[in-house]
Amino acid sequence: MTAHETDKYVYDFAEGNRDLKDLLGGKGANLAEMTNLGLPVPPGFTITTEACKAYLATGREPDGLAGQIEAHLEALEREMGRRLGDPDDPLLVSVRSGARFSMPGMMETVLNVGLNDHSVVGLARQASGSAGPAASGGSADPAASGGNDRFAWDSYRRLIQMFGKTVCEVPGEEFEHALDEAKRAKGSTDDLDLDADDLRGLVEAYKKIFAEHTGREFPQEPREQLDLAIRAVFESWNAERAILYRRQERIPADLGTAVNVVTMVFGNLGPDSGTGVAFTRDPGSGAQGIYGDYLANAQGEDVVAGIRNTVPLQELEQLDPKSYHQLLDIMARLEGHYQDLCDIEFTIERGKLWMLQTRVGKRTAAAAFVIAGQLVDEGLIDLDEALHRVNGAQLAQLMFPRFQLDHEIPPVARGIGASPGAASGTVVFTSARAVELAAEGRSVILVRRETNPDDLNGMIAAQGILTSRGGKTSHAAVVARGMGKTCVSGADEIEVNVPAKRFTVGGHTVGEGDVISIDGTTGKVYLGEVPVMPSEVVQYFEGSLDPAHIDNALVRAVHRIMTHADDRRRLAVRTNADTGADAARARRFGAEGIGLCRTEHMFLGDRRELVERLILAATDADRTDALAALLPLQRQDFVEIFREMDGLPVTVRLIDPPLHEFLPPLEQLAVNVAVAQERGEDVAKEEALLAAVRRMHEENPMLGLRGVRLGLVIPGLFAMQVRAITEAAVAVTRDGGAARPEIMVPLVGAVQELETVRTEAEKIIAEVVGDSGVEVLIGTMIEVPRAALTAGQIAEAAQFFSFGTNDLTQMGWGFSRDDVEGAFFWRYLELGIFGISPFESIDRDGVGRLIRIAAEEGRAARPGLKLGVCGEHGGDPDSVHFFHEVGLDYVSCSPFRVPVARLEAGRAAIETTGSDSR
Ligand code: ADP
Ligand code: MG
Ligand code: MG
């Protein structure tokens, strides 16, 4: 290979900044940013993600990397006035992973690199200097020298332990055992009781463990330690747990991790040293104030490991007021700089504060809204930015009822929050028992190791589902989300014993009949019944909380951001509602009309008899009679809905399901007939029904006689509905209201179908409307792929299109939704065939393409053609962004999803303005 200029693989902290996260990882980019702000960051450098990717691709360090590390290390040694692992006065470093997206606990860190049998002595001597090891030079302070042998040997044993475990895969328990042994010999349970001699002995024991497991001595050469640790961090990117975590969080697999090499500072040098973590606001509620934990005389990993109890950060004010106030200043600066909640890691070494990490902190859904609102108040961000920082998934979470926990009750187990909500109920272990108890009106929680398609009925009957195995894409999780049911999956501390009808967890045994509570948002499981309280956010949307007069930061923030989303959005938001009551509620939630009013339910209940008469009609006259009897009932339904939606458009879909769905099931009828015949009763009517059901039986009802096909086959059916809708609109309008009906024909695949229906409908409308001034639009659903592909023709006959994305997805993929979701979607998700069910979030590439084609060709044929979407995708955040991009006029979704769609439509609008290139 010829010599060529190699890439730059190593950046000094002073060379980077926070925008270089792709290259330097989050930790490295933010260490650089803090360095350049002049904050006290221990000097160091970052090896790029590019170097990691090159290493992972070829199995060896890329050309030039070793030399660049050498150069940066030398510069660091010059700056610190010490050499790595120098026996007299060693420089020590930490080697820390840091990827583009934070993957907590997934990857490796090694502290105290540079210690060996010689430099441990130098470290002890150096630590006697009053300024401590991180400052160059420093005079001896006799008073402080007492514990320094101890400190040095403690640091050395930590290095062997971390290095052994993370770099050489020595089982961590081996070291833990040896440590416990040393403490037992001392008659103590606290690390701090081990003195220098004990720790020196422990180092010997650790070295033996290391040699036994690796077949070599613990490396004494500091530079070799460094290189091996860097390599281990590279490799940790592909560790199994990291791969699983990325899949779970949908983090791309090819980003690689950066490696940060950071001068060590020591929080374990005595009582005037320590380490801590802090948030600039409460990440739980968003409340302003200082939130954090501090641990005196400790290194950072002790805080995480929970070996000793931390104290609230506020106590640092007593212990070290100077560092405390400096820390508060720095936190305020970081917030101002990042314009967001930050979390930080810091260490105090003998009264000197060092910043070891910062990033924009994770937060709960409630805190996200509250903080965004506060930052607007503080003038740090504008409302667009606030809107950008929250999302529909968070809002949806806030609309679920929550457990009322006055004081934190300890959960008995914690799994994955697989489907949000809060549920309490009696434990059952089988689907059959769930169905039985639910039928008695009891609230039940179905507990299983994992669920399978046989559990479907039990899952429907249960209030919540708890499994001890499986993640966010397990059968239980996928099906529960589809049903909107609370689910905690993968609570692996729970031992489920179905035959014995009990489970055990942490020493408790819970049997059938006992009550538990599960939180599908946090994944927590509680024994007993925890009271559930309604969502304040829902109360606000319902209009029972006035944001101007209540002392609730969350509701105020939601109100403010929602108002802004409404100002910004271009998409209108309608609702799917079949009754006046649903329409009224959706209107309070902000719906601007009805996008889908199904007429099916108007054929149920006590109206079944009329439907039977219709189906069994032997003559035209019989059928006309049945329809005439249905007409006033239908009209009254529409009157109620038009009143509630006064002034707003209401899209009514003509009847869609196969008519035999309104008749009793075949088996039941057959039994009834047989029994009645046995008794010698008159069964003429039942026999006729049975014959009709047999005649109308279909192998694939979803693809059979339904939708527009019914209207073309059964004379007078659609005409009756059109008349009922129009008469209702005229009646409401004559009463001083404003009805805006839009009649929608389902399942159209060809323009000829729609034209036939329209010709008949227009005659009726013209006759009924008279001089009332009512205007009735006629349009179609686009839910059959052929309709999408011939949209140019169909638009000639349609005044609007409404995309029925559920059917379009079913027919686009050839999936029967009721069959596939429970049967095998978990496998498809596991294999990554799709990242999310196409029924949950629109499949942009396939089904989305059909929508694009139909929108473009429809509008080309009829400029200004009104385009909307009904179906559950209308309330899904990512799908809403897609519908915005395609240029639809509105989305329609269930009442509860209306606020989510409003918010996301606003976010979609600001995101496209931000990068508008059209
Ligand atoms: P994680 O990403 O798991 O938080 P870190 O790289 O931040 O891992 O390091 C783990 C712990 O070690 C942290 O508590 C951190 O504060 C501490 N630590 C890392 N580097 C140093 C250093 N140079 N000096 C002192 N403590 C350090
Ligand atoms: Mg780590
Ligand atoms: Mg950290």
Side-chain angles (χ1 to χ4, degrees), residues 168-384:
C168 301
E169 290 168 16
V170 181
E173 315 87 74
E174 300 266 335
F175 297 116
E176 309 285 345
H177 287 320
L179 180 60
D180 288 343
E181 196 52 47
K183 286 191 279 192
R184 199 164 22 243
K186 200 78 183 172
S188 164
T189 54
D190 191 340
D191 297 14
L192 288 178
D193 289 334
L194 299 177
D195 63 22
D197 283 337
D198 301 326
L199 290 164
R200 192 178 291 130
L202 194 56
V203 163
E204 285 313 311
Y206 275 12
K207 286 206 279 193
K208 214 174 274 157
I209 293 170
F210 187 94
E212 268 165 25
H213 280 274
T214 62
R216 58 163 294 184
E217 297 300 316
F218 177 73
Q220 292 288 312
E221 178 54 51
R223 185 56 208 269
E224 189 189 0
Q225 292 176 0
L226 179 63
D227 290 340
L228 289 175
I230 291 170
R231 192 180 277 200
V233 172
F234 285 161
E235 284 172 358
S236 69
W237 177 258
N238 279 337
E240 196 169 333
R241 59 181 176 170
I243 292 172
L244 281 176
Y245 182 85
R246 284 199 295 271
R247 203 175 289 160
Q248 191 86 175
E249 301 294 314
R250 303 192 204 297
I251 296 175
D254 56 359
L255 301 175
T257 178
V259 186
N260 303 287
V261 176
V262 189
T263 303
M264 280 302 300
V265 292
F266 297 98
N268 52 343
L269 267 172
D272 57 351
S273 302
T275 190
V277 295
F279 291 88
T280 55
R281 297 174 197 232
D282 183 343
S285 70
Q288 276 143 318
I290 306 294
Y291 291 80
D293 301 306
Y294 182 72
L295 187 56
N297 200 4
Q299 271 196 329
E301 86 253 26
D302 297 339
V303 179
V304 192
I307 300 171
R308 272 181 280 149
N309 285 335
T310 56
V311 299
L313 186 58
Q314 279 78 358
E315 292 188 21
L316 181 61
E317 186 166 19
Q318 304 301 315
L319 299 170
D320 183 350
K322 184 176 132 274
S323 295
Y324 181 71
H325 289 290
Q326 188 190 359
L327 184 64
L328 297 198
D329 284 349
I330 288 175
M331 282 164 59
R333 259 189 88 183
L334 284 174
E335 264 221 345
H337 186 70
Y338 284 89
Q339 301 178 339
D340 208 341
L341 161 96
C342 293
D343 75 19
I344 61 170
E345 292 177 7
F346 66 93
T347 280
I348 296 172
E349 179 181 294
R350 293 201 170 136
K352 164 115 182 78
L353 175 66
W354 293 100
M355 302 300 294
L356 289 174
Q357 191 174 326
T358 192
R359 67 185 157 201
V360 168
K362 298 217 161 95
R363 64 206 72 184
T364 62
F369 276 89
V370 170
I371 291 171
Q374 286 168 358
L375 294 174
V376 172
D377 288 337
E378 293 165 27
L380 284 174
I381 61 173
D382 63 14
L383 277 165
D384 274 357

Side-chain angles (χ1 to χ4, degrees), residues 599-650:
T599 51
E600 287 77 280
H601 79 275
M602 303 169 183
F603 289 72
L604 294 175
D606 48 9
R607 302 176 188 179
R608 267 183 196 276
E609 208 184 328
L610 292 174
V611 179
E612 285 172 10
R613 265 172 59 194
L614 175 67
I615 292 173
L616 297 179
T619 63
D620 285 353
D622 287 352
R623 187 173 44 244
T624 311
D625 279 356
L627 288 169
L630 278 165
L631 176 70
L633 302 171
Q634 286 258 280
R635 186 170 54 218
Q636 190 50 36
D637 295 324
F638 296 130
V639 164
E640 280 165 29
I641 291 170
F642 289 143
R643 281 214 180 103
E644 292 298 347
M645 279 289 158
D646 189 37
L648 298 175
V650 174

Side-chain angles (χ1 to χ4, degrees), residues 24 45-48 95-98 229-230 233-234 257-261:
L24 304 179
F45 52 85
T46 304
I47 301 163
T48 64
V95 177
R96 316 167 67 187
S97 62
I230 291 170
V233 172
F234 285 161
T257 178
V259 186
N260 303 287
V261 176

